[in-house]
Amino acid sequence: IHHDLSPHNHNIPSSAPPIPSTNGPSSIHTTLDDHVVPYKKMVRYRECLKNHAASMGGNATDGCGEFMPSGEEGNIEALNCSACNCHTNFHRKEIEGAPSSWDCYHSPQHINRIG
């Protein structure tokens, strides 16, 4: 094993901010605002959209109404649906607070009015 014992030459520009020391009291003060965890949005997987007849040029879904994980959260089995055995990617994803595709197709501004 070869160890390079020569000193390393690191050039730090004079405009660079000072590097805080990690072996002693820190002069950097933190507040509670620095440690705020962003709000985690709730994600739900709804009906299965997998097209089982795509190879024949048709359209057929299996009718699975909502994703039900096959295993406990954190396990790889939890990514497959116990009802239809499809991966979560085939199920419609619904994010809390985000507009859904239902909202886009059924909003008042997209409905034609006669008059």
Side-chain angles (χ1 to χ4, degrees):
I1 300 174
H2 173 71
H3 295 283
D4 184 11
L5 300 177
S6 63
H8 296 282
N9 223 357
H10 297 287
N11 293 325
I12 300 175
S14 61
S15 62
I19 299 172
S21 172
T22 58
N23 56 355
S26 175
S27 62
I28 300 173
H29 298 287
T30 59
T31 64
L32 289 176
D33 293 335
D34 295 337
H35 300 287
V36 174
V37 177
Y39 174 70
K40 186 175 181 180
K41 294 184 179 183
M42 179 75 138
V43 175
R44 296 179 76 182
Y45 293 94
R46 297 299 190 170
E47 67 274 4
C48 184
L49 302 173
K50 183 175 181 179
N51 183 3
H52 296 280
S55 62
M56 297 180 289
N59 187 14
T61 57
D62 59 17
C64 178
E66 187 167 348
F67 177 80
M68 293 182 286
S70 294
E72 290 186 34
E73 186 176 343
N75 292 338
I76 193 143
E77 293 89 18
L79 298 175
N80 290 331
C81 181
S82 62
C84 64
N85 204 29
C86 290
H87 192 271
T88 55
N89 291 344
F90 288 107
H91 288 259
R92 181 175 61 88
K93 187 176 184 179
E94 190 175 83
I95 303 171
E96 179 186 18
S100 69
S101 58
W102 177 263
D103 295 337
C104 295
Y105 290 114
H106 299 284
S107 66
Q109 51 188 293
H110 287 100
I111 298 174
N112 292 330
R113 296 184 182 178
I114 300 174

